[in-house]
Amino acid sequence: MLNDPRSHGLWEKTAPQPPATEPLAGHVSADVVVVGGGYTGLSSALHLAEAGSSVVLLEANEIGFGGAGRNVGLINAGMWVMPDDLPGELGAIHGERLLDLLGNAPRLVMELIDKHGIACELERNGTLHCAVGPAGLKEIEERARQWGKRGAPVTVLDAKETERRIGSSAYAGALLDMRAGTLQPLAYARGLAHAVIKAGVAIYTGSRVASTEKSGTKWVVSTDAGKVSANWIVVATDAYSTGPWEQVRNEQVHLPYFNFATVPLGDNLAKSVLPGREGAWDTKEILSSFRMDQAGRLVFGSVGALRNTGLSVHKNWARRSLRKLFPQLGEIPFECEWYGKIGMTDNALPRFHKFAPNVVGFSGYNGRGIAPGTVFGKVLAGHVLGHIPEADLPLPVTDVIEPSFRTVKEMWYEAGAQAAHFVGARV
Ligand SMILES: Cc1cc2nc3c(=O)[nH]c(=O)nc-3n(C[C@H](O)[C@H](O)[C@H](O)COP(=O)(O)OP(=O)(O)OC[C@H]3O[C@@H](n4cnc5c(N)ncnc54)[C@H](O)[C@@H]3O)c2cc1C
C-alpha cells in the first residue's frame, strides 16, 4: 500500500481488491460522518446505514491503511487483562459488561463475514495461547478458570495435545479458546468496505480530515478538497490518528510489531504445523505469534520494527526461532515481511471518548482490535442512533490523557525488542 512493501506485506499481496473510491471534493451533507476506514469506522458506518442513517466515511489513506491492514489476524475474545481483574479496573458494572461484550465479539465478526459473503480466509477453529514453562502454564490455567466460571468454551490442553496441534514440543500446554479464530485482516476490512457501500454509505479515501468546526447545529469537517456537514462525528482513527484527533495517538504508547510470512509449506509440511489452523501466540513478555494463511504460509511475528538495524536483527531472530520451534521446516524462505504500530494504553484497556457534544469514538485496543473494533463500531452506531445511552455503554467516558514519558517508552520498546532478539533465539 502506498508503495511500501513493509507496510501491509502478505495481506496486500493476497487480499481481494477494495471497492473503487475517490477523494472527497466539494461540500456534502450526511447525518453522520465517520472518520477512519478500519474496523471501528467501517462497522459503525455499516450499522448506521443499515438502520437508515445517511453516512459519509472519510479515510486519510486507503481502506485498511492502519492496524486493520497490518495485523496478525487473530480474532481474539476478550482483552489481555485477566477477566477477574476487569471489574476492579472499570468498576463492577462496566467490567462485567465489557467482558460479556468482548467475550462474544468474535461471533459478531463471523456473523458479518457470513451475512455479507466476505472472502477473508476465515477459520473458526479457535486460538491457542501457548504456555512457556511452568509460569506460562500457571497463567493460562488461571485464565481458563476465570473464563470457565463465566461459561466460556475454553480448555487447557496438556503438553502432548499442544504438540499435536502445533507441531512443536516447545510448550508446556495451551489454552484453546473456541470462541476465537483467524482471518485475512485486510481482506476483512476491504470486504466490510464493499458491504458499507452496498448499504448506501459514501466512502472517500485519500481524504484526511484536517479540521472541524461548528456551524449552527451541525459539525463541518474539512479535508484538503472538501467538507462534510453532519449532526454527529464518529472518530475511528486509533493508533494511526492524525489531524484533529492526534491526541488519540498521543494517548497511546506505540508498540511496534512485525510479521514474516514463509513461502507456502506444501502439503506434507503443512500437515505438521498447525494442521487445525488455530491462531497461536505464547505467554512470553516479548511474545511471538504464529498462524497459517489459506495458501499454507506460516506467518510468524513478534515485537519490533523492521527498520534500520531492526530489520536484520529481527529477521535473524525469526530464522533462528523458526528453526528451533519447527525444525521440520528446515531453511524455509520468507516471502513477505511487514510491521505496524500497536496502540497500548496504560491499563491495557480501550477508551471511550466524547471529544465534544456529538463527537465520539473508541480507541486503544492494545493489539486486540479485530473483534473489539467491530463490536465497538456497532455500539457507536447504537449510541448515535439514541438506542444506547451513555450510561449503558461498555466503557465509561474518559478524558484523553497523554501518558508520562511516552516517547521514552516507545524508544524503549523498540530498543528493548532489538536487544532481546539480538541476544537469543526464543522459546
Ligand atoms: C502489527 C499488528 C498486529 C496486530 N495483531 C492483532 C491481532 O492479531 N488481532 C487483533 O484483534 N488485533 C490486532 N492488532 C490491532 C488491530 O489491528 C487494531 O486494534 C485495529 O486495526 C483497530 O481498528 P480501528 O478501525 O480502530 O483503527 P485502524 O485500523 O488503525 O484504522 C484507523 C484509520 O483511520 C485513518 N485516519 C487516521 N487519521 C485520520 C484523519 N485525520 N482523517 C481520516 N482518516 C484518518 C487511518 O488512515 C486508518 O486507516 C494488531 C495491530 C498491529 C499493528
Side-chain angles (χ1 to χ4, degrees):
M1 209 176 283
L2 303 178
N3 298 322
D4 178 359
R6 290 202 187 94
S7 64
H8 298 76
L10 175 66
W11 307 138
E12 178 152 42
K13 191 169 177 175
T14 61
Q17 286 300 306
T21 49
E22 299 207 330
L24 175 70
H27 196 151
V28 299
S29 294
D31 296 330
V32 186
V33 57
V34 174
V35 187
Y39 308 128
T40 311
L42 291 163
S43 169
S44 104
L46 181 63
H47 289 98
L48 281 163
E50 284 181 343
S53 294
S54 66
V55 184
V56 168
L57 186 148
L58 300 176
E59 162 55 46
N61 301 286
E62 294 177 29
I63 294 300
F65 174 83
R70 306 169 193 245
N71 66 64
V72 181
L74 305 170
I75 317 167
N76 293 303
M79 302 305 290
W80 294 108
V81 178
M82 283 283 190
D84 282 1
D85 293 343
L86 264 182
E89 282 286 340
L90 292 172
I93 292 177
H94 283 110
E96 289 301 336
R97 202 182 277 164
L98 190 67
L99 275 173
D100 186 46
L101 187 78
L102 297 188
N104 289 308
R107 191 184 308 153
L108 176 66
V109 173
M110 296 176 193
E111 281 170 6
L112 287 178
I113 291 169
D114 289 342
K115 178 175 171 189
H116 298 285
I118 298 175
C120 62
E121 306 187 9
L122 173 65
E123 297 283 354
R124 305 167 201 257
N125 298 347
T127 48
L128 295 165
H129 190 180
C130 304
V132 178
L137 191 57
K138 211 166 147 204
E139 182 192 326
I140 61 159
E141 282 171 349
E142 181 55 20
R143 199 175 278 276
R145 190 189 66 75
Q146 295 186 15
W147 273 122
K149 75 180 182 195
R150 292 175 170 85
V154 294
T155 326
V156 174
L157 309 178
D158 64 16
K160 206 166 158 219
E161 177 60 9
T162 302
E163 179 175 357
R164 193 190 69 74
R165 287 184 184 246
I166 290 179
S168 170
S169 57
Y171 301 108
L175 174 69
L176 171 66
D177 189 336
M178 285 310 293
R179 298 168 295 181
T182 62
L183 47 63
Q184 208 281 26
L186 183 59
Y188 175 49
R190 288 181 173 178
L192 280 177
H194 281 287
V196 162
I197 288 179
K198 222 168 160 186
V201 175
I203 295 184
Y204 297 99
T205 48
S207 301
R208 175 180 171 271
V209 173
S211 64
T212 66
E213 60 183 330
K214 204 76 204 267
S215 171
T217 58
K218 301 267 186 191
W219 284 102
V220 180
V221 309
S222 299
T223 66
D224 276 354
K227 289 180 190 300
V228 184
S229 298
N231 299 322
W232 283 82
I233 306 176
V234 167
V235 181
T237 52
D238 199 40
Y240 284 80
S241 208
T242 59
W245 301 287
E246 206 159 358
Q247 47 183 316
V248 170
R249 177 267 175 264
N250 292 343
E251 177 180 47
Q252 306 170 358
V253 176
H254 279 178
L255 177 78
Y257 199 91
F258 63 80
N259 279 289
F260 291 96
T262 67
V263 296
L265 299 189
D267 286 350
N268 275 342
L269 277 179
K271 274 186 212 137
S272 78
V273 177
L274 290 170
R277 304 261 162 148
E278 301 92 340
W281 71 99
D282 68 27
T283 54
K284 287 272 191 182
E285 204 168 322
I286 300 181
L287 65 83
S288 307
S289 54
F290 44 100
R291 53 155 298 181
M292 303 296 289
D293 82 341
Q294 202 165 53
R297 298 177 184 92
L298 177 63
V299 177
F300 185 63
S302 185
V303 177
L306 301 184
R307 61 183 165 211
N308 308 324
T309 49
L311 179 56
S312 59
V313 168
H314 297 308
K315 195 182 266 186
N316 288 336
W317 168 85
R319 287 197 195 293
R320 288 197 308 272
S321 298
L322 275 188
R323 271 202 298 269
K324 221 169 161 184
L325 202 51
F326 301 111
Q328 67 269 39
L329 297 185
E331 295 299 317
I332 187 108
F334 293 144
E335 187 178 317
C336 294
E337 55 196 36
W338 70 100
Y339 71 106
K341 47 198 186 188
I342 294 178
M344 310 293 288
T345 58
D346 54 7
N347 63 354
L349 289 173
R351 303 276 193 268
F352 173 71
H353 294 310
K354 197 169 155 185
F355 300 92
N358 288 15
V359 184
V360 289
F362 283 100
S363 52
Y365 301 125
N366 291 272
R368 295 197 153 203
I370 298 175
T374 306
V375 88
F376 283 144
K378 185 176 179 187
V379 168
L380 283 168
H383 182 57
V384 166
L385 292 162
H387 303 159
I388 306 178
E390 204 168 284
D392 291 346
L393 288 169
L395 287 168
V397 182
T398 46
D399 293 331
V400 187
I401 298 169
E402 195 170 322
S404 32
F405 308 113
R406 175 174 59 79
T407 315
V408 177
K409 285 177 185 161
E410 287 180 354
M411 283 161 59
W412 169 243
Y413 275 154
E414 188 159 346
Q418 271 195 48
H421 286 168
F422 183 73
V423 171
R426 306 193 48 79
V427 192

